[in-house]
Every structure is written in structure tokens, then in C-alpha cells.
Amino acid sequence: GQSLEQPSEVTAVEGAIVQINCTYQTSGFYGLSWYQQHDGGAPTFLSYNALDGLEETGRFSSFLSRSDSYGYLLLQELQMKDSASYFCAVRDGASGAGSYQLTFGKGTKLSVIP
Amino acid sequence: EAGVVQSPRYKIIEKKQPVAFWCNPISGHNTLYWYLQNLGQGPELLIRYENEEAVDDSQLPKDRFSAERLKGVDSTLKIQPAELGDSAVYLCASSLTPTTYEQYFGPGTRLTVT
């Protein structure tokens, strides 16, 4: 089966940088996604890594190392509005060809403090 | 562009009662997903549709849950009868194709079974 591990909670100061790690175990790995979810809101897509390396999108960056089954989300210049839960999700074909199932981690609750 | 629409947003029912959730995906999105999210957990896939065909329903508890996507557009998820353990948020998501890595989520229906 698939399993993902990420820290349950992280606290960081406004304006700082925070890194949220994710390690995974899966078969038929296709890529690692990150989603943001504010309390009571819908998960929203942040980034996707299919290959090793760093992907940058504005203040957010995501990194993947397939050999280490590891990735992270980097948030820079933290703002209060970044307080939310962040989920890593593995995209795999374990359920069969053409089945791009997304398996989510339990999420990391980020609290940004003044 | 309108996002994924779900209704109702909140539902409170007594155990053993039936309940139904409705989802309208983003226009033109071929693939529709139903997820269940328990408090403090990541979304878990229940069923995935490609057009009107359910192509991955291995996680759907078929004794009490059913879903349909008539005409390949909007979809309904039903629980009959509901149990206390069904209390959760039911999320609908859509993507342009089955291989598109970005999924767009609706706001969810928060179900409380008493």
C-alpha cells in the first residue's frame, strides 16, 4: 500500500521561511503534489513534481528526490494568510494502468505568528 | 470560470436515514472524484469517474454507498442508511482529464450523523 509521513504541526513567524517535509512509500510512483487547505475550505493545488529537483512558483517552491522517496514544500516570506493545512499527495498507478490515484498525507497544520 | 459546486454545504441527519450529496464539476472536465475527509486527515478517494463511467470505486463501501454521474456531467453520492461513523466532509473534485495532475476541489459537504 501507500503511506506518507509529514509533520502534524509547524509554527513559523511572519516574514520567515518554513519547510514542510514529506516522505512516502508507494509503488508505481508518478509524482508528488502539494495542496493547501484553509479551515472549512477546499483543498487548492499548489505544485506538482514528477522529476527530481526544485519547482518554484512565486513564494512557494517544491522539491522532490525520487531516490530518497522524499519531498518538501518551501514557503518564503510567510504571510498570515499562509496559516492553513498543507497536504502532500502521491500520484501512483498502484491500482492499475491508467489509474492515477492520488493518496494524501494527513496534513501539516501551519500556524504563522506575528 | 465557475469552480466545482457542491450542495448542500452542511447536512445533519439521524443514523439510519438516507442522504445525498450533489456535485457539479468545472465545465469541460472529464474526470470527477468523490473524496471523504475526516477531521485532521487528508482526503481519501471514494470513487473516480471518467465521463459517466466509474473507473475506480475500490474504496467505496458498496453496501451503503452509491454514486452516479449521468450524462457525464454532475454527480450524486448517496448513503443509505447512514451510520454515526459516516460523519465527515465529502469533497468533490474534477480534473480536465484522468492524467491531468491538478485537481480542483469543491467546498465539500459537512455531514453530521446523530
Side-chain angles (χ1 to χ4, degrees):
Chain A
Q2 303 85 32
S3 69
L4 296 94
E5 290 193 15
Q6 51 181 129
S8 58
E9 294 183 5
V10 172
T11 301
V13 178
E14 188 177 15
I17 300 172
V18 70
Q19 179 174 312
I20 300 174
N21 298 320
C22 175
T23 58
Y24 59 88
Q25 290 184 328
T26 187
S27 56
F29 177 85
Y30 286 100
L32 186 71
S33 297
W34 288 92
Y35 284 78
Q36 177 193 62
Q37 186 178 32
H38 288 96
D39 284 347
T44 56
F45 173 82
L46 292 177
S47 68
Y48 177 73
N49 294 67
L51 303 175
D52 288 355
L54 190 69
E55 295 281 344
E56 299 181 65
T57 307
R59 295 187 298 114
F60 294 1
S61 303
S62 58
F63 172 83
L64 175 66
S65 169
R66 295 172 65 125
S67 60
D68 295 323
S69 297
Y70 163 76
Y72 66 73
L73 179 69
L74 191 73
L75 296 82
Q76 302 181 74
E77 301 173 14
L78 281 172
Q79 303 176 8
M80 299 300 289
K81 67 178 182 179
D82 296 330
S83 293
S85 291
Y86 292 84
F87 296 90
C88 60
V90 168
R91 189 156 174 259
D92 64 50
S95 300
S99 169
Y100 295 92
Q101 181 168 325
L102 208 57
T103 301
F104 285 81
K106 294 184 177 181
T108 298
K109 187 173 179 63
L110 171 64
S111 298
V112 180
I113 58 176
Chain B
E1 177 184 271
V4 176
V5 179
Q6 290 188 248
S7 70
R9 289 296 314 277
Y10 305 91
K11 188 73 176 179
I12 302 174
I13 61 171
E14 294 183 348
K15 62 181 181 182
K16 300 185 181 179
Q17 295 301 305
V19 65
F21 315 124
W22 177 80
C23 171
N24 187 256
I26 292 174
S27 177
H29 279 199
N30 157 285
T31 309
L32 184 147
Y33 313 79
W34 282 102
Y35 289 89
L36 176 153
Q37 185 174 27
N38 287 303
L39 189 64
Q41 304 291 315
E44 300 172 34
L45 181 69
L46 290 173
I47 189 168
R48 176 170 68 97
Y49 281 92
E50 292 178 23
N51 294 310
E52 61 272 9
E53 183 182 359
V55 295
D56 186 355
D57 62 354
S58 57
Q59 305 301 316
L60 190 72
K62 298 181 182 62
D63 57 334
R64 297 184 300 108
F65 286 64
S66 64
E68 61 182 11
R69 190 184 184 198
L70 300 177
K71 301 181 181 179
V73 181
D74 54 354
S75 175
T76 303
L77 178 69
K78 299 179 181 177
I79 308 175
Q80 183 170 10
E83 297 179 353
L84 294 176
D86 296 331
S87 295
V89 175
Y90 291 82
L91 294 163
C92 178
S94 68
S95 63
L96 191 60
T97 72
T99 58
T100 307
Y101 53 78
E102 183 172 356
Q103 295 184 16
Y104 295 81
F105 283 80
T109 297
R110 182 176 297 275
L111 173 67
T112 301
V113 182
T114 63

